Amino acid sequence: MAETLIRFGIIGCADIARKVSRAITLAPNATLYAVGSRSLDKAQKFAEANGFPPHAKVYGSYEAVLDDPDVDAVYVPLPTSLHLHWAVLAAQKKKHLLLEKPVALNAAEFDKIIQACESNGVQFMDGTMWMHNPRTAKMAEFLSDTQLFGLPRSIHTCFTFNADADFLKNDIRVKPDLDALGALGDEGWYCIRAILFAANYELPKTVIALREPVLNESGVILACGGSLCWEDGKVATFHCSFLTNLTMDITAVGTKGTLHVHDFVIPFQEREASFSAASESSFDDLVTKWDKQPSTHTVKTDIPQEVHMVREFSRLVGAIKFNNGKPEKKWPTITRKTQLVLDAVKASIDRNFEPILIQE
Amino acid sequence: MAETLIRFGIIGCADIARKVSRAITLAPNATLYAVGSRSLDKAQKFAEANGFPPHAKVYGSYEAVLDDPDVDAVYVPLPTSLHLHWAVLAAQKKKHLLLEKPVALNAAEFDKIIQACESNGVQFMDGTMWMHNPRTAKMAEFLSDTQLFGLPRSIHTCFTFNADADFLKNDIRVKPDLDALGALGDEGWYCIRAILFAANYELPKTVIALREPVLNESGVILACGGSLCWEDGKVATFHCSFLTNLTMDITAVGTKGTLHVHDFVIPFQEREASFSAASESSFDDLVTKWDKQPSTHTVKTDIPQEVHMVREFSRLVGAIKFNNGKPEKKWPTITRKTQLVLDAVKASIDRNFEPILIQE
C-alpha cells in the first residue's frame, strides 16, 4: 500500500502550508515526504510541527525538493510573484503541481506554467479547496437542474475579512513585489471562481471593475468589486475586501430557482456544510407571506474539503504514475478562466473602469 | 373610541389594495370608510370582497372620495403615472396621504406632491411595508451598533420575481404610460430603500447603472442593476428583475459585523421574521472552520408588517387631527432619497451607463 501513496514535497513554509500538510496526512492516498525552505532550520521546525513522518526529507532550499527523485508532487504556497519561476521548474523536474491561488500575476504567466506542465506530462491543480467540498457537487447538481433552478440569470458573490494592523502592514498580500493583486488575488479569486461555477464555467463577455476600489499606498488592492456580463444577458457582481467582517456568500438566481450559501470558501464546520435552495418560490394570495420557503440542504463529509482536494489531486497523479493516465485538463482550464476574469478586473481598474472584453 | 379611528378612503381597486384594506381593518386605530373606482360596480364589488363595514361609502369616481368630508386619509394604489394628479388633489382636499411606491415618475414630480402635502398640513407616507416590520427596527439596532457592526462598508440587495406571460404582457408595471419605471420602480424601489436603510439614509455620491439591463419592446425595464458609491468609500450594488425566481436579500457588511436577510420585502411568515447577524467572525487556527458562526435573530409580531404601517400612519394622522401635531417629515424625506437614487439609475441607463452625481 505505502508505495502507492503520492509523495508530496512542500516548498515554502507559509501559514497555509500547515493546513495543507494536515490534509496530506489525512488523505488516504498521499503522504508528506519532503519540505524545503530557504532556511534549513525553518524547514526542520515546520516538519516537526506539522506531523511529517520521521523519515521525511528536510531541505534548506526549494530546489533540493524538486531535485529529489522520490518526490511525486509539490505543493507551492509561495508568494504569487515567485510562482512562475518555481512552478515552471517543478514541472520541468516532472513534479505534479498543486499551486496556491492566485496562480500567477496574470494569465500570460499562467500560460507559461501550464505549458510547462503539459510538455512535461504533469497534473496541475490550484489550491481552491471549496471546489472539492462534497457540498459543491450538490450545489452544482441544483444549479444544473433546469426544472428546479432553470437558467442562471444573476449571480452575486463576496468574500471579505477584517485584516488586522499587522496584516495590513506586513502580510505578503499587501506587498506589491510579492502578491501584487492584493485582495483581488486573494479573496477576489474565490468570488470570481464562484461566479464561474454558478455560470457553468462560461466566460463572461465583458468585465467592469466597480468604482472606488481601495488601494494601499503601494497601489495594492485592499478592496474592490466587479460587474460581469454574458452574451446571453446573464449578469454578476462581486465584492472583496481586507477591510470588513469575515463574510463569504454566493447568491445565484435562476429563472426558476435560487441558491444561497454563506460559508462557501471555508465551511462553518469541517464535517458538514449547508446551502439554501429555493424553487418556484411564491407568495400567498394576499402577498403577506411566502407559500413555499427555501429549504436547507446539509451535506456531511468524513473528511474536510482540503483533504478531498489532496485526495482528488493524488488520485489524478496516481492515474498518471501507475496507470499511464493523462493529466486531467478540467482543473487548469477552470484556473485559467478564473485568472482571465481576475486580470480583466485589474485592467478595468487600471483603465478608469472601462469595460474589458474577455478574450479566451 | 370609534370617533378616534382614522377613516380611510381608497382610490382605485388595484390588487395591492386588498392587502391594505385588510391591514386597515386589522389596525386598531384605523377603519375602512370609503372606496372609489372609475366604475361604481367595481367599487361595490371591492367593498364587499374586502370587509368594508356596511356603512362604508362606495363611490363611482376617485374625486368623490376626496370630496367626502369624513374621509381623513386616502390610500392611493393607482398606476405611478396618475400619482402626481391624484396625490396633489388629495392633499389639496386635506386628506392625509398613504401613497403606493414608486411614489412618482421622478423626484421633480414627487416634489410637487410633497409641496402639496406640506402646504396643506397633511401627513405623507409611502407604502413600503417592510420598513414597519418590528424586525426592521431590530436590524437597524444591529446596524447602528458600532461595537457589533462597526461602520457599513458594502451593501448588496436584490429583489426579483418570475413574472408570468400574462404579467409581462398586461400588467401596469410593463406599460410605458402607466408604470414607466418597470422593475426598477417596482422592485428596485425596495432594493434602493434597503441600501439607504443600511447606509443610515446617507445619500450616495454617485450612481451607475450596471450594464445589460433588460427592456421590453416599449422600453420599460424588466431587469436592471446599479452600483452606488459614497464619499467615505462605502459601496453598494443591487439587482432587480421580473424574470427570475422570487428572491429578496439584504447583505450589509460592516467593519465588524455582517447582516443577512432573505425575505426583507415580504417576510416568510406573517407573525415572525428573522435575520442573521455576525460580529467579529473568525476562523479557527488552521482556517478549516469558523470559530464563531452568525446567529439567527427572530422577531415576533402580533400583527403583520402592513398593519404596523397603517397603525403608524394613523397614529401620525391622529396626532395632527386630535392633538394639533405637525406632519412627521421623516417619512417623506426617506421617500425622496429613494426616488433620487432611482432616478439616477434610470438616468445612467439612458446615458450609456455614465456615473450620475446625486444632488439633493
Side-chain angles (χ1 to χ4, degrees), chain A residues 10-61:
Chain A
I10 296 181
I11 62 175
C13 300
D15 227 34
I16 183 76
R18 296 161 56 219
K19 177 175 179 176
V20 174
S21 293
R22 171 174 174 262
I24 294 167
T25 302
L26 293 174
N29 54 353
T31 188
L32 287 168
Y33 184 81
V35 58
S37 169
R38 284 170 301 174
S39 141
L40 184 62
D41 182 56
K42 204 170 157 194
Q44 191 67 52
K45 288 202 173 104
F46 183 88
E48 282 162 17
N50 289 284
F52 278 63
H55 59 266
K57 303 293 179 58
V58 176
Y59 294 114
S61 76

Side-chain angles (χ1 to χ4, degrees), chain B residues 257-276:
Chain B
T258 306
L259 172 94
H260 282 118
V261 55
H262 293 304
D263 59 347
F264 83 97
V265 180
I266 306 288
F268 292 135
Q269 298 174 59
E270 279 192 273
R271 302 302 164 109
E272 63 173 60
S274 300
F275 63 94
S276 157

Side-chain angles (χ1 to χ4, degrees), chain A residues 109-303:
Chain A
E109 274 198 1
F110 179 66
D111 284 345
K112 289 181 189 155
I113 293 172
I114 201 59
Q115 275 154 23
C117 289
E118 280 179 6
S119 58
N120 288 284
V122 301
Q123 180 66 45
F124 174 89
M125 185 183 276
D126 72 43
T128 311
M129 298 167 177
W130 71 268
M131 298 300 299
H132 304 273
N133 194 309
R135 169 177 63 178
T136 304
K138 286 286 173 196
M139 294 196 298
E141 238 173 68
F142 174 67
L143 293 172
S144 63
D145 189 317
T146 52
Q147 290 308 306
L148 292 176
F149 184 72
L151 296 171
R153 304 310 294 154
S154 75
I155 306 159
H156 178 73
T157 65
C158 70
F159 182 23
T160 75
F161 57 78
N162 196 352
D164 60 20
D166 180 59
F167 180 109
L168 292 176
K169 197 173 168 202
N170 300 315
D171 196 272
I172 58 166
R173 286 167 281 186
V174 300
K175 300 291 183 188
D177 54 336
L178 298 174
D179 272 351
L181 296 167
L184 176 61
D186 186 36
E187 301 168 317
W189 177 273
Y190 293 104
C191 297
I192 291 165
R193 174 64 60 85
I195 289 172
L196 290 171
F197 164 75
N200 200 23
Y201 299 110
E202 189 194 334
L203 277 170
K205 184 180 66 177
T206 55
V207 171
I208 308 181
L210 299 178
R211 308 258 164 163
E212 305 293 339
V214 182
L215 310 180
N216 70 9
E217 66 280 2
S218 310
V220 175
I221 296 166
L222 303 182
C224 73
S227 159
L228 290 67
C229 299
W230 281 257
E231 200 72 64
D232 69 354
K234 196 162 48 242
V235 292
T237 49
F238 78 89
H239 177 74
C240 60
S241 172
F242 287 151
L243 306 172
T244 63
N245 188 51
L246 178 60
T247 308
M248 46 178 86
D249 295 343
I250 303 174
T251 303
V253 187
T255 46
K256 292 187 181 176
T258 306
L259 172 93
H260 282 118
V261 55
H262 293 305
D263 60 345
F264 84 98
V265 180
I266 306 288
F268 292 135
Q269 299 175 59
E270 279 191 273
R271 302 301 164 112
E272 63 173 58
S274 301
F275 64 94
S276 158
S279 196
E280 304 202 48
S281 308
S282 63
F283 296 129
D284 68 337
D285 171 55
L286 266 188
V287 191
T288 63
K289 61 179 183 290
W290 293 42
D291 254 352
K292 205 170 133 194
Q293 294 180 33
S295 55
T296 301
H297 299 258
T298 300
V299 182
K300 295 197 181 290
T301 169
D302 287 340
I303 50 174

Side-chain angles (χ1 to χ4, degrees), chain B residues 214-288:
Chain B
V214 182
L215 311 181
N216 70 10
E217 67 279 4
S218 312
V220 174
I221 296 166
L222 303 182
C224 73
S227 159
L228 291 66
C229 298
W230 281 258
E231 200 71 65
D232 69 355
K234 197 164 46 241
V235 292
T237 48
F238 78 89
H239 177 74
C240 61
S241 172
F242 287 151
L243 307 172
T244 62
N245 188 49
L246 179 60
T247 308
M248 46 177 86
D249 294 343
I250 302 174
T251 303
V253 187
T255 47
K256 293 187 180 177
T258 306
L259 172 94
H260 282 118
V261 55
H262 293 304
D263 59 347
F264 83 97
V265 180
I266 306 288
F268 292 135
Q269 298 174 59
E270 279 192 273
R271 302 302 164 109
E272 63 173 60
S274 300
F275 63 94
S276 157
S279 195
E280 304 202 47
S281 310
S282 62
F283 296 128
D284 68 337
D285 171 54
L286 266 187
V287 191
T288 63

Side-chain angles (χ1 to χ4, degrees), chain B residues 119-154:
Chain B
S119 58
N120 288 284
V122 300
Q123 180 65 47
F124 174 89
M125 184 182 278
D126 72 43
T128 311
M129 298 167 177
W130 71 269
M131 299 298 299
H132 304 272
N133 195 310
R135 169 177 64 177
T136 304
K138 286 287 172 196
M139 294 196 298
E141 239 173 67
F142 174 68
L143 293 172
S144 63
D145 189 319
T146 52
Q147 291 307 304
L148 293 176
F149 184 73
L151 296 170
R153 304 309 294 154
S154 75

